[in-house]
């Protein structure tokens, strides 16, 4: 029997609701498919920062290192600036464990209504470079408070960093529909983005069966809205990927169903899986948060761990749930609570039947 140690970081706000509910689902799948999940909880959070001045203890990364995976809920807390939570927790984890791939699926689930008309079949993956690029701490402020005050922020692209995300995207495209789109802005950002384009073209010569396209980020955003069915795999830099991976889910129902993974493909270090929705402090503690994004994130984690059948079962159950439209949260037009959605999903996994709310 395979056994996996999962580092659980519920974080802030609704993370403390959707993570425990997702663990209930994962445990049902583990029992059904014959593997074990052992959990170790960590209270790293903005709430801790507000109390102790640290998002995590000094040895926080070492405590996570031996885990098979990290399951993170959300971070964000009133009074704590977002850059504190990002640079105090998420970015250190991503970089220390070489999670250089941020993978986000965009798919119109059965039963979910898009805000767009005639949207077609939408099912693509965004591969975002996750460890360098525009999210650099190189730069600073100069002549602060003076008339000639200046701010400088540098973007860092390395050949190693760009090539490995390109290769991952091409290989993912080969497993899907052999279509890959690159996000760029080389008409205006003449150094980093022209280099990105050059590496995309060069890496592409090793994958002759993959059909490639590239769009400037502005028109690509327009195509994400007007033609979301065009895409299969999209590769983007850290900043552009961040933008696109919020826009994509907005087109197919909202970030309440948006899953995400920070992947170390070689499995040398643990990968971290987190839903995209954030801590949502305005609805935290009300039992109304949509847990589907976290369930989907759990499915991604199971797939990464190698429990492929359990992952497929979970995704099928999610679509059975959404297609019924009987048990949906308010953001999807329903009235179900977080726990009611969990209850129904577990019932589907066990019996493939429905209960009425």
């Amino acid at each position: 029997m395979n056994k996996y140690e999962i580092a659980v970081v519920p974080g802030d706000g609704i993370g403390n609701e959707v993570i425990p509910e997702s663990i209930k689902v994962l445990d049902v799948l583990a029992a059904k498919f014959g593997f074990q999940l052992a959990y170790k909880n960590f209270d790293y959070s903005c709430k801790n920062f507000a109390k102790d001045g640290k998002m995590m203890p000094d040895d926080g990364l070492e405590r996570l290192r031996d885990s098979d995976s990290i399951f993170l809920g959300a971070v964000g807390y009133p009074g704590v600036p977002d850059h504190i939570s990002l640079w105090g927790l998420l970015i250190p984890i991503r970089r220390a464990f070489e999670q250089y791939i941020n993978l986000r699926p965009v798919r119109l689930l059965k039963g979910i209504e898009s805000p767009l008309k005639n949207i077609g079949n939408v099912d693509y993956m965004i591969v975002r470079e996750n460890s360098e690029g525009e999210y650099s701490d190189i730069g600073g402020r100069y002549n602060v408070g003076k008339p000639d005050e200046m701010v400088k922020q540098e973007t860092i692209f390395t050949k190693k960093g760009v090539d490995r995300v390109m290769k991952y995207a091409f290989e993912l495209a080969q497993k899907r529909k052999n279509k890959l789109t690159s996000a760029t802005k080389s008409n205006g950002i003449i150094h980093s983005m022209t280099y990105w384009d050059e590496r995309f073209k060069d890496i592409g010569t090793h994958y002759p069966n993959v059909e490639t396209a590239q769009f400037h980020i502005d028109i690509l955003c327009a195509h994400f809205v007007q033609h979301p069915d065009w895409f299969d795999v999209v590769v983007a830099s850290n900043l552009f990927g961040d933008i696109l991976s919020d826009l994509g889910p907005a087109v197919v129902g909202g970030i309440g169903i948006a899953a995400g993974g920070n992947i170390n493909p070689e499995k040398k270090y643990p990968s971290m899986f987190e839903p995209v929705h954030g801590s949502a402090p305005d609805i935290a503690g009300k039992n109304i948060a949509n847990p589907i994004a976290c369930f989907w994130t759990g499915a991604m984690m199971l797939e990464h761990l190698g429990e492929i059948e359990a992952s497929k079962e979970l995704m099928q159950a999610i679509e059975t749930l959404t297609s019924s439209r009987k048990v949906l949260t308010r953001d999807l037009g329903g009235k179900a609570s977080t726990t009611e959605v969990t209850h129904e999903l577990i019932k589907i996994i066990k019996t493939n039947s429905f209960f009425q709310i």
Side-chain angles (χ1 to χ4, degrees):
M1 178 179 290
N2 293 329
K3 182 175 181 179
Y4 309 98
E5 183 173 294
I6 310 299
V8 178
V9 186
D12 301 294
I14 64 171
N16 292 281
E17 298 172 72
V18 296
I19 286 288
E21 295 303 298
S22 297
I23 287 174
K24 293 177 185 178
V25 173
L26 293 174
D27 284 342
V28 170
L29 289 162
K32 183 172 183 177
F33 287 91
F35 59 92
Q36 292 183 346
L37 297 171
Y39 306 101
K40 191 171 183 179
N41 294 295
F42 298 87
D43 62 354
Y44 306 165
S45 64
C46 288
K47 190 173 182 179
N48 275 0
F49 179 87
K51 182 178 64 174
D52 300 327
K54 295 180 180 180
M55 292 291 297
M56 60 179 167
D58 293 338
D59 63 345
L61 293 173
E62 289 304 312
R63 297 184 187 187
L64 300 174
R65 188 176 297 274
D66 292 333
S67 304
D68 293 299
S69 186
I70 303 166
F71 199 25
L72 185 144
V75 291
Y77 192 74
V80 179
D82 288 342
H83 70 273
I84 295 293
S85 60
L86 185 65
W87 286 92
L89 183 62
L90 299 182
I91 287 183
I93 291 174
R94 291 171 180 173
R95 293 185 175 175
F97 299 141
E98 296 185 18
Q99 297 167 354
Y100 59 86
I101 298 295
N102 186 282
L103 186 63
R104 296 194 179 175
V106 179
R107 187 165 113 205
L108 184 61
L109 298 175
K110 295 177 182 177
I112 301 297
E113 296 180 1
S114 168
L116 306 180
K117 294 181 180 179
N118 303 319
I119 189 173
N121 180 33
V122 180
D123 183 0
Y124 61 88
M125 302 291 288
I126 297 174
V127 178
R128 166 189 168 192
E129 199 289 314
N130 205 37
S131 61
E132 53 179 47
E134 301 88 350
Y135 291 2
S136 159
D137 60 356
I138 299 176
R141 298 186 178 194
Y142 306 91
N143 297 326
V144 176
K146 297 179 180 180
D148 57 348
E149 184 173 2
M150 185 181 87
V151 177
K152 183 179 182 180
Q153 178 77 53
E154 295 192 8
T155 293
I156 302 297
F157 282 179
T158 66
K159 186 173 186 292
K160 174 183 176 181
V162 173
D163 283 10
R164 64 188 181 182
V165 72
M166 297 286 189
K167 290 175 182 177
Y168 183 95
F170 272 102
E171 289 169 10
L172 179 60
Q174 285 186 322
K175 297 175 184 176
R176 290 171 56 91
K177 298 179 182 178
N178 279 309
K179 291 176 61 178
L180 177 61
T181 300
S182 173
T184 185
K185 190 58 180 171
S186 50
N187 60 343
I189 307 175
I190 62 171
H191 298 304
S192 60
M193 282 283 103
T194 53
Y195 184 72
W196 177 274
D197 292 350
E198 291 168 8
R199 299 313 306 149
F200 182 67
K201 182 178 180 181
D202 187 65
I203 298 297
T205 62
H206 301 282
Y207 300 89
N209 294 329
V210 177
E211 176 187 348
T212 61
Q214 64 181 43
F215 295 100
H216 291 139
I217 186 65
D218 36 11
I219 192 61
L220 182 56
C221 287
H223 289 327
F224 263 38
V225 174
Q226 295 178 313
H227 308 287
D229 57 332
W230 280 4
F231 303 101
D232 185 56
V233 179
V234 180
V235 64
S237 67
N238 211 333
L239 175 60
F240 292 170
D242 196 0
I243 295 167
L244 293 172
S245 56
D246 280 356
L247 176 59
V251 169
V252 293
I255 58 174
I257 58 170
N262 303 277
I263 311 296
N264 173 244
E266 297 79 16
K267 297 186 178 181
K268 180 179 178 181
Y269 302 104
S271 295
M272 177 170 64
F273 297 86
E274 55 171 325
V276 179
H277 49 56
S279 63
D282 56 323
I283 63 169
K286 298 181 180 180
N287 194 28
I288 60 173
N290 186 348
I292 289 178
C294 204
F295 297 156
W296 194 342
T297 299
M300 293 179 69
M301 182 172 70
L302 290 176
E303 181 179 5
H304 182 75
L305 291 172
E307 298 297 337
I308 307 300
E309 293 306 313
S311 175
K312 289 180 179 178
E313 175 91 357
L314 179 49
M315 287 309 303
Q316 290 172 356
I318 289 171
E319 287 214 90
T320 299
L321 174 71
T322 58
S323 64
S324 74
R325 294 202 61 80
K326 293 181 179 179
V327 187
L328 298 177
T329 47
R330 297 178 189 181
D331 60 318
L332 297 177
K335 60 180 180 178
S337 68
T338 307
T339 51
E340 286 170 331
V341 174
T342 306
H343 177 85
E344 175 65 1
L345 187 72
I346 289 173
K347 193 172 183 181
I348 291 169
I349 292 170
K350 288 182 174 180
T351 68
N352 294 320
S353 62
F354 291 94
F355 76 103
Q356 297 290 332
I357 292 182

